[in-house]
């Protein structure tokens, strides 16, 4: 068994990769962790930070569940790691980035599953995630922080 293969598209850069997760515990295959950290980088500053394995595991669990329910396709990643500089730029433009966003700690991912509406994805994610889950117009936010739910 080769594990859970998840095709990813970075909505900002057009980068594509297939992440391979171990089926047990949904951890990232070690040979892919460095590539995955690059994929989730702050593309505005070209800065890389190691993504929290717990957050990646939550994402993999959500995708595995979506597939069991019949969803197929490529996961669209809207935001992963964000440097403090990028986060402040977004805040100054009125984009609802939290001052101490978990994106700054590489512990949050904003994503969508093309073909699945946001409300369905939000409910699916909220049912699976132990941390924060936020619903936005074009993506769902997930992180490995304290459990909380919000609508952005």
């Amino acid at each position: 068994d080769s594990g859970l293969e998840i095709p990813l598209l970075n909505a900002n850069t057009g980068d594509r990769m297939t992440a391979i997760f171990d089926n047990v515990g949904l951890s990232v295959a070690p040979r892919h962790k460095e590539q995955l950290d690059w994929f989730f980088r702050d593309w505005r500053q070209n800065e890389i930070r190691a993504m929290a394995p717990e957050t990646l595991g939550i994402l993999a669990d959500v995708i595995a569940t979506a597939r069991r329910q019949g969803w197929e396709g490529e996961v669209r990643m809207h935001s992963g790691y964000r440097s403090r500089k990028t986060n402040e730029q977004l805040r100054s433009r009125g984009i609802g980035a939290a001052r101490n966003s978990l994106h700054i700690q590489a512990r949050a991912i904003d994503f969508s599953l093309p073909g699945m509406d946001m409300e369905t994805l939000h409910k699916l994610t909220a049912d699976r995630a132990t941390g924060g889950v936020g619903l936005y117009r074009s993506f769902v936010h997930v992180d490995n922080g304290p459990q909380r739910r919000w609508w952005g």
Side-chain angles (χ1 to χ4, degrees), residues 10 13 15-17 33-42 46 48-49:
N10 184 316
T13 64
D15 296 329
R16 285 188 153 88
M17 73 169 284
K33 181 64 168 90
E34 200 171 295
Q35 186 183 3
L36 208 53
D37 291 339
W38 174 83
F39 181 85
F40 283 99
R41 74 195 179 282
D42 179 338
N46 202 28
I48 300 168
R49 166 97 41 106

Side-chain angles (χ1 to χ4, degrees), residues 125-147:
T125 305
D127 288 348
R128 308 299 304 175
T130 53
V133 179
L135 172 62
Y136 294 84
R137 190 174 53 77
S138 59
F139 62 85
V140 168
H141 167 103
V142 67
D143 65 54
N144 73 334
Q147 186 170 40

